[in-house]
């Protein structure tokens, strides 16, 4: 029975990942520990820990909080802190990385617009100064700040790999569009190399009949514009960045799946990344980590979590369409509680994939199977095993955009990134209250203030060890999970505006 359930779980979780099959996820680690590791386990490089320090940090009893030794290791004086779990896994399955990338156009790439437009634009600047600046910026590339958090499940292997490689996939995707992004005055062309359209603000869109007649000159004459029967969508620049991030996540997922046949890459992982590009923050999330902005005490959610409850209808629909993924051990229907055999023939509340409300149905033999989604809140599980429903590579990755130039940020305005170890026990409001109380008590010129704020959040979520386990305020149960937290000051965004 247990073996069949494990097989069903592997098949179904393979099925919910876009572009992958159950056999790939279930048998991807063929050979298991006999295969070499893709990358050795470790803690984030920016912590600067020795191997001895890494081993000491894995104390599940003391659970020491790790913080940055040197604030200059991260851009914007970003703060970071983490702590290992209370014994649920040998390793800390969270991973993090942070870099400043210089995004340059790929050698030999097709120009986004004809060269004569850019030449005209440069020559119009006084004394030719713009030309020199333009050439320098092209050679140096566009700065892209990158922060990321990964939370592994069923092992740390995928999280370690993603923390080392995802930024390279992001860079590769951005290289294809960087020249388009730099020219913010012109909308992205539908096809690379096309002449950009400059439509006057007061011009009218021609009707289909008018376009057939020709807006200028006689039909077929050289002065007649090309006939167009359909309007063309105007795609804003930020949509290209969102598409680049979505493609990078997909490529990372595909790479992990390919390399499972050659390397021991255990488990899967969630991913939460932030990039700052040309004055805007892009927050991409796949999983149950979370990002919020705290600005003047106001909370601005910057991510959406994917849990069995938020994804119920999608998962039920997938199971309905592909029942073989359930291995004949689970039912896709949801009931208020586990159905018992003595209730056969009775009517019980249920809901299917097409329902947000509840109705009654007559209980049949198939309803005695274990429900696909069971439990509620943070205890909800898919197949009684997995509490997160999306990870790298999903097509429904959520990306949110925040324009830094629209606000004048103060020293206490921050972006918080954290894995679910923090959010399991602290609400958005509790985190915001902690930060708004902590930062004003720090010296505004102290570069360590944001690392100390991150440490304070980790400490609040972990709590203190008592006779009845780890406890936080009001004697609530503390987080026994791995906890990783970034505190990113937004005041540096003012300098980019």
């Amino acid at each position: 029975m247990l073996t069949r359930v494990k097989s069903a779980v592997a098949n179904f979780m393979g099925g919910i990942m876009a572009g992958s099959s159950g056999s790939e996820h279930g048998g991807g680690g063929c050979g298991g520990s006999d295969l070499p590791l893709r990358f050795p386990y470790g803690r984030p490089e920016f912590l600067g820990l020795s191997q001895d320090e890494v081993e000491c940090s894995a104390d599940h009893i003391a659970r020491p909080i790790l913080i940055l030794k040197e604030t200059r290791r991260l851009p914007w004086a970003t703060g970071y802190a983490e702590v290992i779990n209370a014994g649920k896994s040998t390793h800390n399955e969270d991973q993090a990385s942070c870099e400043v990338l210089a995004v340059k156009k790929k050698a030999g790439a097709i120009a986004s617009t004809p060269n004569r437009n850019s030449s005209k634009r440069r020559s119009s600047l006084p004394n030719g100064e713009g030309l020199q600046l333009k050439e320098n910026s092209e050679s140096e590339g566009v700065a892209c700040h990158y922060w990321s958090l990964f939370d592994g499940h069923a092992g740390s292997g995928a999280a370690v790999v993603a923390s080392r490689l995802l930024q390279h996939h992001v860079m590769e995707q951005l290289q294809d569009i960087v020249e388009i992004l730099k020219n913010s005055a012109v909308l992205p062309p539908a096809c690379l190399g096309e002449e950009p359209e400059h439509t006057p603000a007061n011009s009218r869109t021609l009707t289909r009949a008018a376009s057939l007649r020709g807006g200028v000159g006689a039909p077929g004459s050289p002065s007649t514009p090309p006939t167009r029967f359909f309007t063309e969508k105007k795609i804003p620049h930020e949509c290209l960045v969102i598409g680049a991030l979505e493609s990078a996540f997909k490529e990372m997922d595909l790479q992990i799946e390919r390399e499972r046949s050659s390397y021991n890459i255990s488990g899967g992982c969630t991913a939460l990344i932030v990039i700052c590009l040309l004055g805007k923050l892009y927050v991409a999330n796949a999983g149950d980590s979370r990002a919020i902005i705290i600005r003047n005490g106001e909370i601005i959610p910057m991510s959406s979590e994917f849990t069995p409850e938020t994804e119920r209808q999608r998962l039920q629909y997938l199971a309905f369409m592909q029942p073989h993924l359930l291995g004949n051990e689970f039912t896709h229907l949801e009931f208020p509680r586990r159905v018992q055999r003595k209730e056969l023939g009775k009517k019980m509340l249920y809901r299917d994939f097409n329902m947000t409300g509840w109705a009654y149905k007559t209980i049949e033999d198939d309803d005695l199977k274990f429900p696909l989604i069971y439990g509620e809140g943070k205890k909800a599980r898919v197949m009684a095993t997995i509490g997160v429903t999306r990870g790298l590579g999903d097509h429904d990755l959520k990306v949110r955009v925040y324009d830094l130039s629209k606000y004048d940020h103060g020293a206490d305005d921050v972006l918080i990134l954290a894995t679910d170890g923090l959010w399991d026990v602290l609400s958005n409001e509790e985190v915001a209250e902690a930060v708004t109380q902590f930062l004003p008590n720090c010296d505004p010129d102290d570069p360590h203030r944001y690392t100390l704020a991150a440490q304070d959040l980790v400490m609040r979520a972990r709590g203190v060890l008592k006779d009845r386990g780890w406890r936080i305020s009001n004697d609530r149960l503390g987080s026994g999970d791995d906890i990783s937290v970034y505190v990113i000051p937004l005041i540096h965004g003012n300098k980019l505006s």
Side-chain angles (χ1 to χ4, degrees):
M1 171 66 178
L2 181 59
T3 302
R4 293 201 305 272
V5 170
K6 286 182 177 179
S7 176
V9 170
N11 286 335
F12 186 76
M13 295 315 292
I16 71 171
M17 296 296 287
S20 60
S21 66
S23 61
E24 288 175 335
H25 280 264
C30 183
S33 58
D34 293 335
L35 294 172
L37 293 173
R38 181 64 171 87
F39 295 104
Y41 170 80
R43 301 315 307 143
E45 291 185 4
F46 56 72
L47 287 176
L49 301 180
S50 66
Q51 188 57 42
D52 287 342
E53 289 173 318
V54 171
E55 293 175 4
C56 290
S57 72
D59 186 336
H60 300 282
I61 304 299
R63 298 182 72 192
I65 297 176
L66 305 182
I67 63 173
L68 281 172
K69 296 178 180 178
E70 303 173 28
T71 57
R72 66 175 181 272
R73 283 181 174 267
L74 294 182
W76 293 15
T78 294
Y80 178 84
E82 68 171 43
V83 70
I84 198 170
N85 62 79
K88 79 166 191 176
S89 62
T90 302
H91 290 146
N92 185 335
E93 293 183 341
D94 287 358
Q95 289 290 330
S97 60
C98 180
E99 293 187 28
V100 180
L101 310 172
V103 184
K104 303 177 183 179
K105 182 176 70 174
K106 287 181 180 177
I110 298 175
S112 60
T113 58
N115 289 334
R116 63 178 177 275
N117 287 341
S118 56
S119 299
K120 192 173 185 178
R121 207 166 45 244
R122 292 172 191 164
S123 61
S124 64
L125 297 175
N127 303 323
E129 292 175 353
L131 177 61
Q132 184 61 40
L133 289 172
K134 185 70 176 178
E135 289 175 345
N136 287 343
S137 63
E138 284 181 352
S139 62
E140 294 170 3
V142 174
C144 174
H145 293 76
Y146 171 92
W147 298 264
S148 64
L149 282 178
F150 306 91
D151 183 358
H153 45 259
S156 60
V160 172
V161 172
S163 70
R164 299 288 192 97
L165 299 180
L166 180 56
Q167 57 268 44
H168 300 295
H169 287 288
V170 171
M171 167 87 88
E172 185 173 354
Q173 296 296 327
L174 291 176
Q175 284 178 328
D176 291 334
I177 58 173
V178 65
E179 292 302 307
I180 299 174
L181 297 177
K182 286 160 67 175
N183 190 5
S184 60
V186 179
L187 287 173
C191 184
L192 286 179
E194 278 187 345
E195 180 84 26
E197 290 187 30
H198 298 275
T199 305
N202 59 352
S203 66
R204 292 188 301 111
T205 303
L206 293 177
T207 63
R208 182 174 183 274
S211 68
L212 287 171
R213 291 194 301 269
V216 180
S221 68
S223 61
T224 302
T227 301
R228 287 193 176 180
F229 299 103
F230 303 102
T231 59
E232 183 178 298
K233 283 186 177 180
K234 305 302 182 185
I235 309 299
H237 290 79
E238 66 183 37
C239 287
L240 293 188
V241 181
I242 293 172
L245 293 177
E246 290 168 334
S247 299
F249 270 59
K250 181 180 178 182
E251 290 301 316
M252 183 72 260
D253 187 66
L254 292 173
Q255 181 177 356
I256 289 175
E257 290 309 308
R258 286 195 307 270
E259 295 190 354
R260 285 190 194 276
S261 60
S262 304
Y263 297 99
N264 177 19
I265 303 176
S266 60
C269 71
T270 69
L272 171 63
I273 75 167
V274 175
I275 67 168
C276 179
L277 184 69
L278 297 173
K280 291 183 179 181
L281 291 176
Y282 297 83
V283 182
N285 187 44
D288 56 359
S289 295
R290 189 184 305 173
I292 63 171
I293 283 176
I294 304 170
R295 190 184 68 222
N296 292 326
E298 177 189 0
I299 299 169
I300 305 168
M302 291 300 295
S303 65
S304 301
E305 288 109 280
F306 299 102
T307 67
E309 286 194 318
T310 62
E311 298 273 280
R312 174 187 64 82
Q313 289 178 278
R314 182 183 71 88
L315 296 176
Q316 285 182 307
Y317 179 70
L318 173 65
F320 172 76
M321 295 299 293
Q322 303 186 51
H324 64 279
L325 294 174
L326 301 181
N328 202 35
E329 301 293 340
F330 297 87
T331 173
H332 75 279
L333 299 178
E334 182 184 12
F335 299 93
R337 57 173 168 77
R338 182 75 188 275
V339 180
Q340 301 177 46
R341 182 163 293 278
K342 65 182 181 181
E343 292 164 333
L344 281 170
K346 295 183 179 180
K347 288 194 171 183
M348 180 179 281
L349 285 170
Y350 86 106
R351 60 179 176 178
D352 207 338
F353 66 84
N354 61 326
M355 303 166 64
T356 56
W358 294 78
Y360 287 94
K361 77 175 295 287
T362 302
I363 297 300
E364 305 170 2
D365 282 334
D366 274 354
D367 300 327
L368 298 177
K369 297 174 182 177
F370 202 88
L372 168 64
I373 298 171
Y374 186 72
E376 59 182 342
K378 282 293 182 180
K379 295 183 178 179
R381 292 290 182 268
V382 177
M383 294 178 164
T385 304
I386 298 173
V388 61
T389 60
R390 290 191 189 272
L392 283 167
D394 268 319
H395 291 303
D396 286 344
L397 170 76
K398 300 297 182 184
V399 183
R400 297 194 182 184
V401 185
Y402 180 83
D403 192 341
L404 290 163
S405 65
K406 290 185 176 180
Y407 308 95
D408 186 20
H409 300 97
D412 297 343
D413 296 334
V414 294
L415 169 63
I416 306 292
L417 310 181
T419 53
D420 65 332
L422 180 80
W423 308 111
D424 282 350
V425 296
L426 297 180
S427 66
N428 289 355
E429 291 72 22
E430 288 175 308
V431 169
E433 182 182 4
V435 170
T436 54
Q437 288 178 354
F438 186 89
L439 287 177
N441 292 321
C442 298
D443 182 350
D445 297 323
D446 182 2
H448 299 279
R449 67 197 308 261
Y450 302 106
T451 285
L452 295 175
Q455 181 185 39
D456 180 66
L457 288 176
V458 172
M459 196 176 300
R460 286 172 183 264
R462 182 203 63 178
V464 295
L465 186 58
K466 297 184 177 180
D467 293 338
R468 293 177 295 126
W470 292 91
R471 295 283 162 173
I472 60 175
S473 62
N474 299 324
D475 204 35
R476 293 178 295 168
L477 190 64
S479 177
D481 200 358
D482 304 307
I483 309 170
S484 302
V485 177
Y486 280 113
V487 177
I488 305 172
L490 298 180
I491 192 170
H492 293 272
N494 297 347
K495 302 172 184 177
L496 302 174
S497 302

